[in-house]
Amino acid sequence: MSRRRTLGTKKKIALFVSAAAVAGGGAFVMASTSNAAQPAKTAAESQVCQGLATALGNNQRFIDGQRANPDAQSEARIANRQAVIDEIKRKQEASGCVVGESAQDSQSAQNGQQGAGAQAGQQAGGQQAGGQQAGGEQAGGQQTAPSGNAGAGAAASGEQVCKGSTVTLSGEGGAPAASSNQFPAGTKLKVTNLDNNKSTTVEVTSVSGSCVLLNNAAFEQVREPGKFLIRRAVIEKVG
């Protein structure tokens, strides 16, 4: 009788351990499934996603302007910006954002940007004479000031410009630099992030679809960790 009871107890323990292992495995599968099923975040749900969507929208707007008024360098510029958009989409995927979501720069709503025809005219009037390199640098030549924004471009040195604008990244590589639709190449701008009091002074090297876009290196100098959009920025023309 004693031997039978011992065997019965061992069997019960074995069955209990097996059941626990099955339950644990099931919980692991359920947790993995739950994580995999999480929906991608939109720009309205995440500041990171909003910054990336804004950057994508600015680059797409630049491409649209080039296609509306092409010149000898437009094809190279479009290819360069398309590579930037592809990189932004990879960042959207890695950050759990909706891939390909695009948002227009908030400056458009705040300052009443000109219509599509006028914007295209700005792009045509502010093109680089020598084009851009693959990294977003100028291959040579100079830009002329966009005629539609002569007031901003003529701002005195040390004057605050683009008031109320948000600042995001262009996605371009190379040394710290900026792109703008209001200032010609060679203009120096100081950008201050009021949320962390970090500043960077950069030179405009190319045309973009907003007042100022910082390339990757410049944006890293003033960004807050994990953010791709500066909501409270002070932009000054310093040279």
Side-chain angles (χ1 to χ4, degrees):
M1 295 292 291
S2 175
R3 180 178 178 81
R4 290 180 180 177
R5 289 195 190 96
T6 302
L7 291 174
T9 300
K10 289 181 179 179
K11 288 181 179 180
K12 289 178 181 179
I13 293 174
L15 289 172
F16 177 78
V17 171
S18 299
V22 171
F28 175 78
V29 171
M30 290 177 64
S32 300
T33 304
S34 176
N35 290 334
Q38 289 181 352
K41 292 173 288 188
T42 66
E45 298 170 326
S46 165
Q47 287 189 353
V48 171
C49 297
Q50 183 179 12
L52 291 170
T54 299
L56 193 150
N58 287 333
N59 282 283
Q60 186 60 60
R61 184 167 55 183
F62 176 84
I63 289 176
D64 292 342
Q66 291 291 308
R67 287 174 175 164
N69 285 272
D71 62 20
Q73 299 296 329
S74 290
E75 186 175 349
R77 295 191 191 104
I78 290 173
N80 177 45
R81 291 306 177 97
Q82 186 58 55
V84 171
I85 287 177
D86 292 341
E87 177 61 26
I88 292 172
K89 287 181 178 180
R90 284 191 286 270
K91 289 181 179 180
Q92 285 179 321
E93 183 176 10
S95 301
C97 306
V98 175
V99 177
E101 183 179 17
S102 172
Q104 293 299 320
D105 189 15
S106 61
Q107 176 190 350
S108 301
Q110 294 170 348
N111 296 344
Q113 288 275 339
Q114 297 172 329
Q119 176 65 32
Q122 291 172 5
Q123 299 288 359
Q127 298 306 324
Q128 295 166 291
Q132 297 171 311
Q133 295 174 332
E137 301 284 331
Q138 286 179 294
Q142 296 291 328
Q143 294 169 300
T144 57
S147 57
N149 290 302
S157 180
E159 183 178 345
Q160 183 178 346
V161 295
C162 307
K163 295 180 181 180
S165 296
T166 58
V167 176
T168 188
L169 75 168
S170 66
E172 295 178 323
S179 56
S180 174
N181 69 349
Q182 298 194 25
F183 301 98
T187 303
K188 290 187 178 180
L189 301 173
K190 180 181 179 181
V191 179
T192 301
N193 184 349
L194 295 179
D195 291 326
N196 58 14
N197 291 320
K198 291 184 177 181
S199 299
T200 183
T201 299
V202 292
E203 183 175 324
V204 174
T205 60
S206 61
V207 180
S208 69
S210 63
C211 175
V212 59
L213 290 181
L214 299 177
N215 71 352
N216 291 345
F219 195 80
E220 284 296 330
Q221 294 178 343
V222 294
R223 72 180 294 181
E224 291 184 272
K227 293 186 178 181
F228 293 90
L229 180 69
I230 301 173
R231 291 180 177 276
R232 299 197 312 130
V234 171
I235 306 167
E236 301 168 87
K237 180 182 177 183
V238 295

